[in-house]
Amino acid sequence: MEFVQQKRGMTAEDLYKLNSVNDPQVSPCGTKAVYVQTSIHEEKHQYISNLFLTDLEKNISSQWTYGEGKNTSPRWSPDGSRLAFISDRSGKNQLFLMSASGGEAKALTKEHLSVSQPVWSPDGKKILAAISLAPDDKLDKEDRDEKKLPEPLVVEDMRYKSDAAGFVKNRKRQLAVVDVKTGKLELIGSREFDYNDGAWSPDGKSIAFTSNMTDDPDQTLISDVFILSLETNEQQQLTNSNGFFGNLSWSPDGSCLSFFGHEKEFQSATFSKIWLYKMETEELSCYSADWDVHISDAVVADFISGSVNPGLIWTEDSQGFYFILTDQGNTGVYYGSLEGQTLPVRFEQEHVYGLSVHPGSHTAVLGISSPDHPCDLYFFDFSTGENRQLTNVNDEFLQEIELAVPEAIKWNAEDGLEIHGWIMKPVGFKNGEKYPLVLEIHGGPHAMYANTYFHEFQMLASSGKAVLYTNPRGSHGYGQHFVDQVRGDYGGSDYTDLMSAVDYALETYDYIDKDRLGVTGGSYGGFMTNWIVGHTNRFKAAVTQRSISNWISFYGVSDIGYYFTEWEIGGNLIDDFDKLWQHSPLKYVTNVETPLLILHGEKDYRCPVEQAEQLYIALKRLKKETKLVRFPDANHELSRSGHPKLRIDRLNHIKNWFSEYL
């Protein structure tokens, strides 16, 4: 008798066993690709990222860098003979260079600088890179006394902290040109402003970048596109200081500069569009003005590490381009021509999170994830339709795992609007049995759940829970009007959308126990979890994560609070105090009867921990069932890129709370 191995469900700790592959880069010759593979060292609880090379003709991959640090952002030299990449092996992210034939990597930048986003010059002699500098920082050496006494932080700007970087301390993001031969750095532009999204012109004579050079950047929240002439040092502004733009790329013939962005028509809910600037006529036009879709990847997930927005990828003849598009719970690849013809070249029930295209052969390497396949890289020939899988980074481990496969659902909300979502049966599902259901709510709110792998969902499904996750109004992927409907109405129709999802699930699936319902979410999903338990007692357990509970205090303490509150809620602390309180879950805390677990990172500057503290103390003062878990040194990205052990702890707290109360 043949022995059949009994499969098990996914656990929180299985994050240690999964690998992520990302940022594929096809070589200039089109026969090879380099990519980043990330894993977690289980004993040291640290991320390890190394570069791998794959032969696209033979489907053979080999490891290129080693060690227990992070090696990321690989970029081929124009002739394909060298590879630039970023490594933290010296303690900070530095720019390294190595031969494409192998050998030891050479550091090009100094250890006191933190470098990112390398871009080769067309002649291969220089590399453009991003660095962060304070006014007194030097390029050539460390000019600080590590033993100096502490000094107060003097704040004069409204945006003085960042969830990603902490206190800015007057630092500006700069672009520097690195000489490949000597390692000498030369800044472009002025240290007075931030510079981002650097892109060389094909002739190497100019650099395009984005910046906010208005008189008062705190009050004028924009990102303009500029072109700087390296010969004359003159710069030209291409956009009108009325929107956000980025992801710059030149056509190979230099006739056109492309970028993504929008003119803030719907503030933070505005779809990203494709823009083209023609150099000869100095004409700026919106290529996708009439499209009711979001350009780029708007998917929210908790596993794939190091995703990179590839922007617009031009073809060799400068007559067309490829790009990623978000729609209806999926992302895929589209082709567009300068004549205005567009067509999908890869759009399936999946999440395309990585893209690199060889401009001459129209072949590509894609990173793809689906709910029951965490991630892998695939080769595609857009001309012939040939496609094949290049990596199998999790196949061996997944042979012992039973993954839940979601079912896509659609229903009509209270006002008749069609809403899209998914439901997962528990792992080991048996007909005739009743199961608890957990409603998951994504953050943003302008993001999208999708046909992608989500570790938290799989863990809950393996613990005997059905999982319901949806894209209520405010989500990307369903049109500009849909994504804008939540603004000024937090806790209104978005709340009834979510309740209609639960109603639909209970009416449609007889295996759900209506008396064992749970709800959880993070960021905006945490706000909505707080709102839900203050407005209904139908849920028997809730977990709120990195949440907002009080829009009044949020206004002054978040790194985005002063403008995000105005854009999303429609009011400010000075003129609209009552409106902010009306939309604050804390106002309704006396109504809460649902046991509520509160999870929050200590260094979350996006939704600061005081939001959790207020909610927790108010609930305890009222003798409600609650618990607060604070994660040291964790920011808003805890669930996605936080310390591995804390990510595991977070997942287990969620699982255990629902197991206890459901």
Side-chain angles (χ1 to χ4, degrees):
M1 178 181 293
E2 183 179 352
F3 174 74
V4 178
Q5 181 180 358
Q6 184 69 34
K7 292 189 174 184
R8 63 174 179 84
M10 194 73 77
T11 68
E13 289 77 12
D14 286 331
L15 272 178
Y16 287 120
K17 299 179 174 65
L18 289 169
N19 295 299
S20 171
V21 285
N22 215 331
D23 199 8
Q25 298 290 322
V26 178
S27 65
C29 65
T31 63
K32 297 176 290 186
V34 64
Y35 60 90
V36 180
Q37 181 166 318
T38 300
S39 60
I40 303 176
H41 194 295
E42 190 166 359
E43 294 180 358
K44 296 185 178 180
H45 307 287
Q46 67 184 36
Y47 296 100
I48 298 173
S49 296
N50 277 301
L51 307 185
F52 284 70
L53 179 72
T54 182
D55 187 309
L56 300 179
E57 296 173 338
K58 299 178 181 178
N59 263 35
I60 300 174
S61 293
S62 57
Q63 189 168 344
W64 239 8
T65 64
Y66 294 84
E68 296 182 353
K70 294 181 181 179
N71 300 286
T72 62
S73 304
R75 298 296 181 264
W76 295 95
S77 64
D79 63 2
S81 66
R82 292 165 295 174
L83 192 76
F85 64 98
I86 301 297
S87 178
D88 68 353
R89 62 187 66 181
S90 64
K92 286 188 176 181
N93 285 335
Q94 298 300 302
L95 179 61
F96 280 76
L97 187 67
M98 67 185 300
S99 170
S101 58
E104 188 66 27
K106 171 188 175 184
L108 288 182
T109 52
K110 305 293 183 180
E111 293 184 4
H112 71 285
L113 297 174
S114 184
V115 185
S116 62
Q117 300 179 0
V119 183
W120 284 90
S121 64
D123 61 7
K125 295 180 179 180
K126 297 178 180 179
I127 297 174
L128 185 66
I131 59 176
S132 179
L133 292 174
D136 58 346
D137 283 346
K138 308 298 182 183
L139 287 178
D140 55 348
K141 64 178 180 178
E142 174 62 83
D143 195 34
R144 299 185 194 137
D145 181 0
E146 297 296 339
K147 297 181 180 180
K148 67 181 180 181
L149 295 173
E151 295 181 358
L153 175 66
V154 179
V155 176
E156 296 181 289
D157 298 324
M158 293 177 74
R159 287 185 289 171
Y160 65 91
K161 61 182 178 181
S162 159
D163 183 64
F167 290 114
V168 176
K169 298 181 180 178
N170 296 319
R171 287 180 172 270
K172 299 292 184 183
R173 191 172 179 85
Q174 304 284 297
L175 292 175
V177 175
V178 185
D179 188 292
V180 171
K181 188 175 182 179
T182 65
K184 182 180 178 181
L185 272 70
E186 182 178 353
L187 293 180
I188 71 165
S190 165
R191 293 180 70 156
E192 180 182 357
F193 304 106
D194 287 299
Y195 291 76
N196 296 286
D197 300 297
W200 291 93
S201 63
D203 62 7
K205 296 180 179 179
S206 301
I207 291 175
F209 62 90
T210 62
S211 183
N212 183 343
M213 296 189 181
T214 59
D215 293 336
D216 191 349
D218 278 336
Q219 303 288 351
T220 311
L221 296 167
I222 55 94
S223 176
D224 278 318
V225 179
F226 297 84
I227 296 177
L228 174 70
S229 170
L230 297 178
E231 295 177 332
T232 67
N233 209 34
E234 295 178 352
Q235 66 184 30
Q236 177 186 6
Q237 183 174 329
L238 309 187
T239 51
N240 300 316
S241 299
N242 62 347
F244 293 104
F245 302 96
N247 301 110
L248 314 184
S249 58
W250 295 82
S251 62
D253 63 5
S255 66
C256 191
L257 178 67
S258 67
F259 39 91
F260 294 165
H262 59 77
E263 295 180 321
K264 298 198 298 185
E265 296 95 328
F266 303 94
Q267 301 289 19
S268 47
T270 314
F271 275 169
S272 177
K273 304 176 182 68
I274 297 172
W275 296 78
L276 302 177
Y277 181 83
K278 296 183 178 179
M279 301 300 295
E280 184 176 353
T281 62
E282 298 186 347
E283 176 189 3
L284 176 64
S285 62
C286 183
Y287 179 87
S288 61
D290 298 328
W291 301 1
D292 197 18
V293 292
H294 177 77
I295 306 302
S296 296
D297 179 2
V299 172
V300 58
D302 68 347
F303 171 67
I304 298 169
S305 174
S307 291
V308 175
N309 187 340
L312 214 63
I313 303 176
W314 287 86
T315 56
E316 191 174 56
D317 60 7
S318 297
Q319 297 303 302
F321 37 76
Y322 294 92
F323 55 93
I324 291 177
L325 178 149
T326 291
D327 193 36
Q328 300 286 315
N330 302 292
T331 63
V333 183
Y334 270 65
Y335 170 81
S337 71
L338 287 183
E339 288 75 21
Q341 297 175 324
T342 58
L343 70 155
V345 292
R346 174 72 186 186
F347 203 90
E348 305 289 342
Q349 300 293 305
E350 64 191 13
H351 174 203
V352 176
Y353 64 85
L355 173 66
S356 179
V357 182
H358 186 261
S361 64
H362 297 264
T363 57
V365 175
L366 277 63
I368 297 177
S369 175
S370 62
D372 59 346
H373 193 107
C375 65
D376 266 310
L377 300 180
Y378 297 78
F379 172 86
F380 282 88
D381 188 321
F382 294 140
S383 300
T384 66
E386 177 193 357
N387 68 87
R388 47 190 160 83
Q389 189 169 335
L390 294 172
T391 62
N392 300 279
V393 294
N394 295 303
D395 280 13
E396 184 176 352
F397 166 65
L398 291 177
Q399 288 178 6
E400 64 184 74
I401 300 296
E402 180 181 349
L403 292 174
V405 179
E407 174 189 346
I409 56 176
K410 290 183 180 181
W411 69 96
N412 292 327
E414 190 176 85
D415 61 358
L417 184 68
E418 185 176 80
I419 309 294
H420 178 215
W422 296 262
I423 189 166
M424 280 181 172
K425 290 180 179 178
V427 171
F429 173 84
K430 295 179 181 179
N431 285 318
E433 291 194 9
K434 292 283 189 177
Y435 296 92
L437 174 77
V438 175
L439 170 66
E440 289 269 5
I441 309 170
H442 68 64
H446 310 305
M448 182 183 76
Y449 278 145
N451 283 303
T452 193
Y453 178 79
F454 217 112
H455 196 73
E456 181 178 324
F457 299 173
Q458 292 292 342
M459 179 202 68
L460 288 173
S462 74
S463 69
K465 315 295 188 299
V467 181
L468 174 65
Y469 53 108
T470 77
N471 286 324
R473 69 192 74 199
S475 304
H476 273 311
Y478 305 91
Q480 180 63 80
H481 180 63
F482 188 95
V483 76
D484 188 51
Q485 284 191 66
V486 73
R487 289 200 308 131
D489 190 37
Y490 275 44
S493 294
D494 51 351
Y495 166 70
T496 58
D497 285 351
L498 292 164
M499 293 306 97
S500 72
V502 177
D503 292 338
Y504 174 83
L506 291 173
E507 293 167 3
T508 308
Y509 303 99
D510 59 8
Y511 61 83
I512 298 173
D513 187 342
K514 65 181 178 59
D515 295 322
R516 290 193 290 164
L517 302 178
V519 59
T520 186
S523 196
Y524 164 81
F527 157 83
M528 186 52 66
T529 298
N530 298 339
W531 186 269
I532 285 172
V533 298
H535 287 78
T536 179
N537 292 326
R538 72 188 303 185
F539 295 91
K540 301 307 177 187
V543 181
T544 183
Q545 309 169 49
R546 58 190 187 281
S547 71
I548 295 171
S549 64
N550 183 353
W551 288 106
I552 294 170
S553 64
F554 177 83
Y555 186 89
V557 297
S558 167
D559 67 339
I560 62 170
Y562 74 97
Y563 61 89
F564 186 83
T565 305
E566 294 172 12
W567 292 354
E568 292 292 314
I569 304 301
N572 63 62
L573 184 63
I574 300 168
D575 303 314
D576 307 286
F577 191 94
D578 290 341
K579 181 176 179 61
L580 299 190
W581 185 237
Q582 191 70 24
H583 286 278
S584 296
L586 196 62
K587 177 183 178 181
Y588 310 97
V589 69
T590 57
N591 300 334
V592 176
E593 299 296 336
T594 306
L596 180 64
L597 174 64
I598 305 170
L599 307 180
H600 220 104
E602 294 285 0
K603 292 188 176 180
D604 188 334
Y605 292 157
R606 183 61 41 84
C607 296
V609 71
E610 58 88 22
Q611 295 286 306
E613 291 173 323
Q614 291 182 73
L615 182 60
Y616 172 72
I617 292 299
L619 289 168
K620 292 295 284 188
R621 186 71 177 84
L622 294 167
K623 298 184 178 181
K624 307 286 187 177
E625 188 69 26
T626 187
K627 181 189 294 185
L628 172 62
V629 181
R630 304 172 65 138
F631 296 88
D633 296 320
N635 68 3
H636 202 63
E637 295 298 306
L638 168 63
S639 65
R640 296 177 280 266
S641 60
H643 189 284
K645 181 184 180 299
L646 296 182
R647 288 177 69 188
I648 303 297
D649 290 339
R650 169 192 161 273
L651 287 168
N652 281 324
H653 274 291
I654 295 170
K655 181 190 70 173
N656 294 338
W657 189 263
F658 285 132
S659 294
E660 178 179 356
Y661 288 97
L662 298 184

